[in-house]
């Protein structure tokens, strides 16, 4: 498991080279307490039940990822589906995120159901 997390961290750093300069990157397991889909298909925001990170009490944001509008829309819809399932079944989600420094939002870079 530690090996997988280390590989994921290296992948994230390679995919987002400025992420190390964005103050903090951290891993979090938590339950989803609120979902804000109003901004779809550009992004989806959510709150969690606990956070020991620099993003405690802030909105977590999944921004659209993909090479075209269909890919970006599918990316956001997939994460929304994962969040909605986790919320409705009261299960946790696991994700990597980083602080953007505004005290209101944190960007999620990788998310999954454990």
């Amino acid at each position: 498991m530690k090996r997988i997390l280390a590989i994921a961290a290296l992948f994230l750093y390679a995919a987002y080279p400025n992420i190390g300069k964005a103050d903090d990157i951290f891993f979090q397991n938590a339950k989803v307490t609120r979902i804000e889909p109003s901004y779809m298909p550009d992004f989806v925001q959510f709150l969690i039940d606990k956070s020991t990170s620099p993003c405690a009490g802030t909105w977590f944001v999944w921004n659209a990822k993909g090479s075209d509008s269909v890919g970006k829309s599918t990316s956001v819809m997939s994460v929304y589906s994962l969040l909605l399932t986790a919320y409705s079944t009261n299960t946790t989600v696991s994700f990597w995120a980083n602080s953007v420094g505004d005290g209101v939002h944190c960007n999620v870079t990788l998310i999954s159901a454990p």
Side-chain angles (χ1 to χ4, degrees):
M1 184 66 178
K2 288 181 182 179
R3 182 181 228 178
I4 292 170
L5 291 176
I7 291 170
L10 288 173
F11 169 76
L12 286 174
Y13 185 75
Y16 302 97
N18 292 330
I19 208 164
K21 299 172 188 159
D23 297 324
D24 299 296
I25 182 169
F26 58 91
F27 180 76
Q28 183 77 52
N29 281 318
K31 292 183 179 179
V32 177
T33 59
R34 187 170 176 191
I35 305 168
E36 178 54 65
S38 299
Y39 305 102
M40 289 176 64
D42 297 325
F43 60 92
V44 62
Q45 299 183 113
F46 63 98
L47 294 174
I48 57 174
D49 65 340
K50 62 180 177 181
S51 182
T52 57
S53 71
C55 295
T58 64
W59 285 96
F60 289 90
V61 180
W62 175 267
N63 289 301
K65 294 171 178 47
S67 59
D68 59 10
S69 62
V70 173
K72 290 178 180 181
S73 177
T74 302
S75 163
V76 173
M77 286 190 299
S78 298
V79 170
Y80 176 69
S81 175
L82 182 141
L83 293 169
L84 195 57
T85 301
Y87 177 75
S88 63
T89 60
N90 200 31
T91 57
T92 61
V93 293
S94 301
F95 58 91
W96 288 90
N98 69 305
S99 170
V100 295
D102 67 357
V104 179
H105 300 94
C106 285
N107 289 328
V108 176
T109 54
L110 183 67
I111 188 168
S112 69

